Each structure stands twice: as C-alpha cells, then as structure tokens.
Amino acid sequence: MKKAAVLRILMVQTYHYYRGGDSTCMFNLTSLLEQEGHEVVPFAMQHPQNLESPYSEHFSSEIDFPKMLEEFSVGTALSVVSKSIYNREAKARISRLIDEVKPDIAHFHNIHGHLTTSIMGPLRRKKIPIVWTLHDYRLVCPNTTFLRGGEICEKCLPRKYHHVLLGKCKKGSRAASLVAMMTTVFDRVSRVPARTSRFITPSAFLKGKLVEGRIDPAKISVIPNFVDVQSFNTGREEDYFLYFGRISHEKGIDLLIEAVSEMKVGRLKVVGEGPSSEELKKLVKQTGAPVEFLGFRSGDELRSLLEGAMFVVVPSTWYENLPFSVMEALAAGKPVIATDIGGIPEMVEDEGNGLLFPLGDVAALKGCLARLIEDGELRRAMSVACRKKAELLYNRDWHYDQIMKVYTELTGK
C-alpha cells in the first residue's frame, strides 16, 4: 500500500476519558494516527474526568440524565427524551468546530444518548465523509446488547423495535425502553445508515447482525481492534487462572464460580468491578469456591497478573463483539476458555488457541477448566498459537493499513 496523504481527522466520542472499551479503542486509534503523522481533532461531551484537549471549549455541554431526573416533572422528562434523541447544542458546536478546523473526514465511535446523530447534519452539508466504528448493536437492537431480562433475544430483528418496549428490555424500565425504541426509530426515519459513509465493525458477527437488520453490507468493513502486542511478555506461569473485565450478570461469572466450586484443583482470580460484585462474593462464600476478587487493576499491575496466569476464562452469556480481554490474553500467549457465541469464535479457535463451550453449559466449562489445568503441554502449544494470532490480526500496523484504506477510499487522498 502506498503511503497515505496526511489527513485531519475529526474523532468523535461522547466521553473524552478512559471509560470502557469504546473509549479505549478511540484513544488507541488517535495515538496510532498521530504517530503516523496525521492530525486528530477530538469532539466530545464536556465531563469532569475528560483528558485535557486544546479543543475542549468546543465540546458539547455535559448532560447528566440521572441528575436531571432527581426531581421528576413532565418538563424534565420531555427534556431528557429530546436531548437523548437529538442534541441541538452538540449539532451547533460541531458545526463551528468543522468551520474552524476543516477536517478531511469524521470518525464516530459511541455518540448515542448524548451527542446523538444530530451531529451528522453539519458534516453532510460540508460533504465530509463519516466513518463510524460500532462497539455495540444499537443500530439494530434498541437495548444495544440483544439481551431481554438477562437472556439473549433477537425479536427486534429486523426493524421490529416495539419488542424492546414490550419486554422492558432497557434497564427493566418501560420509560427507558420507550426512549431506546424512539432513538432507534428516529435513526431509521432520518436515514442514519444511508448518511454514514462507512461502518466499521470489529467482528464479522456484528456485521452479520447489521445485515440482518437490513443495513447495506457494502457499507460495512470488518476491521478488528488492536493492542500493543509487543508490550506483553510470554512464558511466565503461576498456579491460577484469570477472569478480568466488567463484573456484571451478562459476563457469566456466576457460571464460572459454580464450575470452579465443583473442582478439587485450580484457583481463580477475578479482576474488575461492576454491579454484580457483591452478589458474586456472596456466592463464593456460599459455595466455598477457590476464588479471589482483586478489584480494579490496570496498567502494569493488570499486565503482570495476566502474564502470570495459566489461562484466561471468558464465560459470557451475551454476544460479545471483540473483547479487549481476549485480544490481550492472546497477546500475552494465554489460552482462552470461552463461550462459543458472538464474535468470540472469530478470536478463539477451539483446540487451537483455546477451548470453546456451549452457552450456559457448566459441565462443559468445568471440563475445559480441568483439561487446561492438568495439561501443561497443551497450554504451551496453545500459547504459541495465541501469540501468533495476536501478531497477525491484532497488531497496530495491520490495523493502520486497514483504516487508511477506508479513509483513502472515502476522501480520495
């Protein structure tokens, strides 16, 4: 591929601080593009935790929906609904920023709920191409996760969005589900897919769901996220296995605890925080499972825990897209035991760089755990395969080449 022209990219993400995988992806891409000589201009919502930026004065005002609803009134409720669907201030502010910096292309990440798709208008009028990396299923599932009452549900496919309201899928709330439904309906009525120049999905699975939701497959490029593979060391191993990530129901950690509690060997370390933490700690006490909760860890501390693990477990009960935890495990040469749903089978090759088990099958999960604990030779063979896949598919250079192909095609530069 010939060297791409230097571009000015408007990078759009609701939060300008590290807040989940979407923000991590945005910051990683920003750093990569800047290292390659491009200029990246951020646009976000103002927030006390935002990282410093010379463009922060252009950011849209913070919207704190829970605080707005503390003193409920009809007027407040209407304001919340309207701002979560169409943010006029964000539209005006991004319009001024576009006039000032004159970007070659805009790259969206997570914009729903705060910045909203209102910001597309000024970009379209200036004929600035819009690339949108999707991190969830919101365009085809109003609840974003294909979950209903904690169980996988695809009733909203294709374009049957009233099911989110019938099932109270969003936070178990009829009101929140109504807003979610209205947002998705508005996106379709306002032709958001047609107005987006190119969608990027980190997994082929996510692309497949968009196509089932009747989004043009020609507009979707599958480009996996990336990690700094060379920053991970391989070869070290201690006597524990690891789960790291958000501690919430859809992550299936309760199934993992149940499987571990029935085993006579093995020790699980759980890294992370989330709404299910206390509930799961009680479950560990009840079952006597050999599980240690370490809370939130990051940076070198998390990397050291990962590099010392025998393997990593991802027992999710929802459609994971392209989990950073799996990418980092592979980069560290750690085999992955995971559920065989969502985008995970694209990352974890059963019997190759890990083991897959059916959704919710505790007995199968227990068997996978026992097998990797007992078979050191298998772990070492899988470790080599893990690192090889990370170096091939999740490295910065390959990701940069794929992103620039999209940018070059859309800008002609």
Side-chain angles (χ1 to χ4, degrees):
M1 178 180 177
K2 69 177 183 179
K3 185 172 178 61
V6 174
L7 299 176
R8 180 173 290 162
I9 300 117
L10 182 63
M11 195 68 68
V12 185
Q13 161 73 359
T14 296
Y15 298 100
H16 197 64
Y17 66 95
Y18 285 92
R19 186 184 187 272
D22 52 355
S23 296
T24 299
C25 175
M26 182 274 292
F27 281 118
N28 285 352
L29 178 58
T30 295
S31 176
L32 174 58
L33 291 167
E34 289 177 339
Q35 289 169 21
E36 294 292 336
H38 302 283
E39 182 181 353
V40 180
V41 177
F43 181 73
M45 180 182 73
Q46 293 174 1
H47 192 277
Q49 292 178 252
N50 277 354
L51 303 184
E52 291 185 8
S53 168
Y55 297 97
S56 59
E57 65 181 24
H58 291 283
F59 291 0
S60 182
S61 299
E62 181 184 6
I63 304 175
D64 188 339
F65 290 128
K67 188 173 182 179
M68 290 175 65
L69 290 170
E70 282 180 358
E71 295 184 10
F72 181 81
S73 69
V74 173
T76 299
L78 290 174
S79 177
V80 167
V81 171
S82 63
K83 286 185 177 180
S84 66
I85 296 174
Y86 196 89
N87 187 334
R88 296 181 185 280
E89 185 202 353
K91 177 182 177 181
R93 284 181 175 266
I94 201 170
S95 181
R96 289 194 290 270
L97 180 59
I98 292 166
D99 289 340
E100 179 178 317
V101 304
K102 297 177 173 58
D104 296 297
I105 196 165
H107 194 140
F108 290 3
H109 291 271
N110 190 349
I111 65 167
H112 276 106
H114 293 86
L115 299 179
T116 76
T117 55
S118 64
I119 62 176
M120 299 180 77
L123 291 161
R124 294 283 294 178
R125 281 193 291 276
K126 297 289 184 178
K127 297 183 178 179
I128 298 168
I130 298 171
V131 176
W132 194 343
T133 294
L134 299 176
H135 301 277
D136 58 33
Y137 305 95
R138 186 184 294 265
L139 287 181
V140 292
C141 168
N143 193 32
T144 77
T145 59
F146 282 117
L147 287 176
R148 178 176 183 167
E151 303 294 330
I152 291 175
C153 170
E154 297 187 7
K155 289 185 177 181
C156 284
L157 284 176
R159 300 183 182 179
K160 299 174 183 176
Y161 307 130
H162 61 283
H163 285 289
V164 71
L165 181 60
L166 295 177
K168 295 191 293 186
C169 301
K170 193 72 174 179
K171 301 178 181 179
S173 162
R174 188 83 69 189
S177 298
L178 176 61
V179 173
M181 183 188 74
M182 291 171 62
T183 300
T184 305
V185 170
F186 177 80
D187 285 348
R188 286 309 175 96
V189 171
S190 59
R191 300 176 64 250
V192 164
R195 294 158 68 203
T196 304
S197 307
R198 184 69 55 83
F199 291 108
I200 292 175
T201 64
S203 69
F205 182 85
L206 174 50
K207 177 179 179 177
K209 290 304 173 190
L210 295 180
V211 173
E212 287 182 48
R214 298 180 182 170
I215 292 178
D216 183 1
K219 280 199 160 195
I220 309 169
S221 296
V222 179
I223 305 177
N225 297 325
F226 71 98
V227 292
D228 184 1
V229 177
Q230 301 307 318
S231 70
F232 291 89
N233 297 313
T234 62
R236 182 166 66 88
E237 184 180 276
E238 299 178 28
D239 65 342
Y240 63 88
F241 50 98
L242 185 69
Y243 168 88
F244 65 105
R246 181 171 168 79
I247 312 298
S248 53
H249 173 75
E250 74 277 4
K251 295 297 185 178
I253 308 169
D254 56 333
L255 303 176
L256 178 55
I257 292 171
E258 183 180 348
V260 172
S261 70
E262 296 176 358
M263 299 171 61
K264 296 182 179 179
V265 295
R267 184 163 63 100
L268 168 65
K269 290 189 177 184
V270 175
V271 175
E273 295 178 343
S276 299
S277 293
E278 294 306 313
E279 176 187 344
L280 292 174
K281 288 176 183 177
K282 291 179 181 178
L283 180 61
V284 167
K285 287 184 178 180
Q286 292 170 1
T287 61
V291 179
E292 182 181 4
F293 286 86
L294 301 179
F296 178 76
R297 297 286 190 276
S298 62
D300 291 342
E301 192 174 12
L302 176 58
R303 183 177 284 106
S304 179
L305 284 165
L306 174 56
E307 292 173 351
M310 300 167 69
F311 54 85
V312 169
V313 190
V314 183
S316 296
T317 57
W318 77 294
Y319 291 148
E320 294 275 8
N321 182 14
L322 193 94
F324 269 92
S325 59
V326 177
M327 282 197 296
E328 291 173 343
L330 298 182
K334 300 301 174 182
V336 178
I337 294 174
T339 318
D340 62 353
I341 58 172
I344 289 175
E346 298 170 41
M347 311 175 77
V348 181
E349 300 160 19
D350 193 31
E351 302 288 342
N353 57 9
L355 299 173
L356 297 174
F357 66 94
L359 172 65
D361 192 333
V362 175
L365 171 56
K366 179 182 173 182
C368 292
L369 294 170
R371 186 175 173 194
L372 279 194
I373 289 171
E374 296 166 4
D375 196 338
E377 185 175 341
L378 178 60
R379 292 199 306 273
R380 287 186 287 274
M382 286 184 169
S383 177
V384 174
C386 289
R387 181 69 173 215
K388 184 177 180 180
K389 181 152 190 173
E391 290 175 342
L392 180 65
L393 287 181
Y394 308 131
N395 72 83
R396 66 181 300 282
D397 293 337
W398 189 86
H399 186 87
Y400 176 72
D401 286 345
Q402 299 305 304
I403 289 291
M404 292 313 300
K405 284 179 182 177
V406 172
Y407 286 0
T408 300
E409 180 184 339
L410 296 178
T411 62
K413 295 185 178 182

